[in-house]
Amino acid sequence: MNKVRKTILLYHQGRDKSFISRYLQLSRTTVQKYINLFKILGQDIDLITGKSDAELDALFSSHNQTELSPKLQALYDFFPYVEKELKRKGVTKQLMWEEYFALHPDGLRSSQFKNLYNQWSKKVNPVMHMEHKAGDKLFIDYAGQKLHVIDGETGEISEVEFFVAILGSSQYTYAEATPSQQKEDFIASVENALLFYGGVPQAIVPDNLKSAVTQSSKYEPTINETFADFAEHYQTAILPARAYRPRDKSLVEGAVKILYQRIYTALRNRVFHSIEELNEAIREELELHNNKKLTGRPLSRMQMFNAVEKDVLSPLPEKPYEIKYQSIATVGQNGHVQLSKDKHYYSVPFQYIRKKVKLLYSVSTVVIYHKYNQIAVHKREPKPFHYTTNPEHLASTHQFVTEWTPQRFINWGASIDQYVKEFIIRLLEQRVHPEQAYKSCLGVLSFAKKVGDERLTAACKRALDYEIYNYRTIETILQKGLDTMGEQEEDEMPRLPFHTNIRGNKYYN
């Protein structure tokens, strides 16, 4: 349109057609065509030069269309169908020409058909025209301009990111507001986009944000480890756009600009008190956007998606992706390793006692590796200071220990007497972790077989009076017969000497 405007302006200034042709590097036939159209339109030169490119294009195009021959009109009517079919794998322009020629035997030949189609396709995609095969690529990016959420109670304004995804072939678009561009939010947004489309493309094309690319490179960028794991879960590839090459992701950048007009503008005077409320409004506007007909085409994005792209996307996996984290730890002597985040213990085969292992954990599972070999898998249990044990992991001589629990010892004590139960509870409470007191509990309870329930009950009662809770207390009381003494004898008997250890626990000599 810039050359059209200059052609008309130079002609109006009295320049001859040969000069205009050389100056603008146009053929004389093209110059003549522009001048003839200007004359036919009968427009004033000031009106022509004052119009924008889009207005000038519409003016000349509308006039051209009225003068198209029936043969050319049939050809241009066929081009939207050609564009849609070329998105299918294996379909070529030659194949489309053969189909066109079968319908119109008096139509244009192959070379003219391809040349005119290329001109038409560049006209409907003036910035950069790229042929995207159906199901091939999903382009993703964040908008530069953020949205806002206002806290209903405090009135605090919080900025939120605007995530956009667009399929290359149908231009079917997904968008949502998200708290940040951090790894967790980014992965959730990409996954939401795949769920929206109901399938997975062959590749995902992100910008060079840190959540997707840890180190950009012209030749071999380093993909974020979590995003690479996400792509492996969904059986797709990551193809980062080149840094400082906006045309690599022009489709999604164009989508962002359109959504500024169709979503940001529609929401500009509305107030949202939560990100969920904002996303609900975005979904409503997004549906209108996807159902609006594409420029120069008879179909909308939704119709294009349903016609050529929906069925060629790869199916979604059965389970959603879970972000994985890792931790390094040493297996304890008891055959368990601690997940430091939860302070929970998980068993590994006894052969790996005292070995360093890697724990790869998600929301639901904990997988343990030793030198890249998987040695254990457990369901994640967030309870601190508890043990998750697979009996097969322990040596045969130690497997009976897996049945020991605090409640079992408490119930055992209660079956003898309430004083025994109370002493066992106090004994368990003395340790940082209850399991450290298991052997002491077993030793105390085993006295029932040696001295009987009655004497053990009396010993526990006396130990509770002394407020000294350990195995050695019961052993000393029973050895010295203090459990059989009356109250008068007890008053005459000096208190047993005790010491306080480094943890503050009392014990007898």
Side-chain angles (χ1 to χ4, degrees):
M1 287 302 105
N2 187 41
K3 289 192 175 184
V4 171
R5 184 180 284 103
K6 287 183 178 179
T7 298
I8 295 169
L9 185 60
L10 290 170
Y11 173 73
H12 187 264
Q13 292 173 352
R15 301 287 186 176
D16 60 45
K17 298 168 188 172
S18 298
F19 172 82
I20 298 172
S21 174
R22 291 193 306 273
Y23 182 75
L24 297 179
Q25 296 183 345
L26 295 172
S27 68
R28 292 191 62 181
T29 305
T30 301
V31 171
Q32 183 65 53
K33 181 181 72 172
Y34 291 159
I35 293 171
N36 289 340
L37 283 172
F38 170 65
K39 291 178 179 178
I40 292 170
L41 290 170
Q43 295 282 333
D44 185 85
I45 185 64
D46 294 331
L47 293 176
I48 293 293
T49 55
K51 289 184 180 295
S52 66
D53 285 352
E55 293 171 333
L56 199 61
D57 177 60
L59 183 65
F60 276 75
S61 297
S62 62
H63 184 79
N64 272 334
Q65 288 175 359
T66 61
E67 297 185 348
L68 287 177
S69 65
K71 184 185 297 186
L72 282 177
Q73 187 63 56
L75 178 67
Y76 282 111
D77 290 343
F78 189 71
F79 280 161
Y81 169 75
V82 174
E83 183 187 41
K84 183 180 75 171
E85 291 301 304
L86 284 175
K87 296 179 185 298
R88 303 184 189 274
K89 291 185 178 179
V91 178
T92 63
K93 292 177 185 175
Q94 180 65 25
L95 186 64
M96 286 290 93
W97 172 79
E98 292 173 2
E99 189 172 329
Y100 158 79
F101 201 71
L103 295 173
H104 306 280
D106 60 338
L108 278 67
R109 297 295 173 178
S110 174
S111 59
Q112 292 177 300
F113 175 90
K114 295 175 183 177
N115 183 48
L116 287 173
Y117 174 76
N118 288 337
Q119 293 179 14
W120 177 86
S121 63
K122 289 177 182 178
K123 183 178 178 182
V124 296
N125 296 281
V127 177
M128 180 182 182
H129 182 71
M130 294 180 65
E131 294 290 348
H132 295 287
K133 293 298 181 182
D136 186 28
K137 292 184 179 69
L138 174 68
F139 297 85
I140 57 177
D141 199 3
Y142 286 97
Q145 185 178 343
K146 298 182 181 182
L147 295 170
H148 300 87
V149 172
I150 300 177
D151 190 296
E153 296 181 357
T154 65
E156 181 182 0
I157 300 175
S158 301
E159 289 187 335
V160 295
E161 301 287 345
F162 188 61
F163 172 85
V164 179
I166 181 170
L167 286 169
S169 177
S170 63
Q171 299 186 32
Y172 194 42
T173 307
Y174 173 77
E176 70 169 25
T178 179
S180 72
Q181 294 187 24
Q182 295 299 314
K183 177 173 62 178
E184 290 80 5
D185 292 328
F186 171 68
I187 293 292
S189 293
V190 179
E191 187 166 47
N192 288 340
L194 298 181
L195 295 175
F196 173 79
Y197 295 124
V200 184
Q202 296 299 309
I204 298 175
V205 183
D207 198 1
N208 284 269
L209 68 158
K210 286 296 182 184
S211 296
V213 181
T214 54
Q215 184 175 358
S216 60
S217 168
K218 182 178 180 180
Y219 303 104
E220 192 172 340
T222 303
I223 308 299
N224 181 286
E225 186 176 342
T226 302
F227 194 35
D229 188 53
F230 170 86
E232 184 177 348
H233 178 81
Y234 279 96
Q235 295 295 296
T236 187
I238 306 298
L239 301 176
R242 294 173 297 172
Y244 310 109
R245 295 293 187 274
R247 287 194 174 187
D248 283 7
K249 51 187 177 66
S250 59
L251 198 63
V252 69
E253 289 196 344
V256 169
K257 291 178 181 178
I258 294 173
L259 294 183
Y260 278 151
Q261 300 170 5
R262 295 185 179 173
I263 292 182
Y264 277 60
T265 305
L267 305 181
R268 68 186 185 281
N269 295 323
R270 297 177 61 180
V271 176
F272 302 96
H273 298 297
S274 70
I275 201 165
E276 292 77 17
E277 185 182 344
L278 174 57
N279 276 324
E280 183 63 33
I282 289 173
R283 279 190 289 271
E284 293 174 2
E285 299 300 328
L286 189 64
E287 186 175 356
L288 296 175
H289 166 73
N290 281 324
N291 282 289
K292 189 178 181 66
K293 284 189 177 358
L294 287 159
T295 304
R297 300 173 180 83
L299 300 176
S300 67
R301 292 169 176 82
M302 170 73 82
Q303 291 170 326
M304 288 281 286
F305 172 74
N306 290 329
V308 302
E309 197 151 27
K310 182 177 181 179
D311 294 335
V312 298
L313 293 174
S314 300
L316 294 166
E318 293 182 4
K319 296 182 179 179
Y321 176 74
E322 293 182 343
I323 294 181
K324 298 179 180 64
Y325 303 90
Q326 69 176 20
S327 175
I328 305 296
T330 302
V331 180
Q333 190 65 33
N334 61 356
H336 289 73
V337 62
Q338 185 192 65
L339 178 58
S340 56
K341 183 174 180 61
D342 300 332
K343 300 191 184 309
H344 190 94
Y345 295 83
Y346 297 91
S347 67
V348 300
F350 68 92
Q351 299 94 327
Y352 297 97
I353 288 174
R354 295 184 179 176
K355 300 288 181 65
K356 279 195 175 295
V357 295
K358 177 190 285 187
L359 293 86
L360 200 64
Y361 59 97
S362 64
V363 173
S364 61
T365 58
V366 176
V367 185
I368 304 172
Y369 294 87
H370 178 258
K371 294 184 177 178
Y372 306 104
N373 295 317
Q374 180 179 303
I375 61 174
V377 180
H378 294 281
K379 179 181 177 182
R380 188 174 175 186
E381 297 288 350
K383 296 178 182 178
F385 303 116
H386 281 66
Y387 282 68
T388 297
T389 306
N390 182 347
E392 296 178 358
H393 288 166
L394 302 181
S396 58
T397 55
H398 295 149
Q399 287 186 3
F400 75 96
V401 178
T402 61
E403 300 176 0
W404 291 0
T405 63
Q407 195 59 49
R408 182 181 178 187
F409 288 114
I410 292 170
N411 293 341
W412 188 353
S415 67
I416 299 173
D417 191 90
Q418 283 299 111
Y419 287 116
V420 180
K421 174 186 175 182
E422 181 65 24
F423 181 81
I424 292 297
I425 292 173
R426 298 295 179 86
L427 181 57
L428 290 166
E429 290 175 347
Q430 294 301 302
R431 302 303 179 112
V432 175
H433 188 272
E435 185 168 321
Q436 296 172 323
Y438 285 176
K439 289 186 178 180
S440 296
C441 291
L442 186 64
V444 170
L445 294 167
S446 65
F447 279 124
K449 290 185 179 180
K450 300 175 183 177
V451 301
D453 293 353
E454 189 175 338
R455 287 195 64 191
L456 177 58
T457 300
C460 289
K461 181 178 182 301
R462 188 151 303 227
L464 289 168
D465 292 338
Y466 293 150
E467 297 183 2
I468 307 173
Y469 316 113
N470 53 51
Y471 167 79
R472 296 298 298 274
T473 303
I474 302 298
E475 183 182 47
T476 303
I477 290 173
L478 291 172
Q479 284 178 353
K480 297 190 175 184
L482 299 180
D483 58 297
T484 61
M485 295 175 61
E487 292 183 6
Q488 185 176 358
E489 295 175 291
E490 182 182 354
D491 292 337
E492 295 173 357
M493 183 74 181
R495 289 280 182 174
L496 290 174
F498 62 82
H499 296 281
T500 303
N501 65 13
I502 193 170
R503 293 182 180 273
N505 296 327
K506 299 175 182 179
Y507 65 93
Y508 287 103
N509 286 330

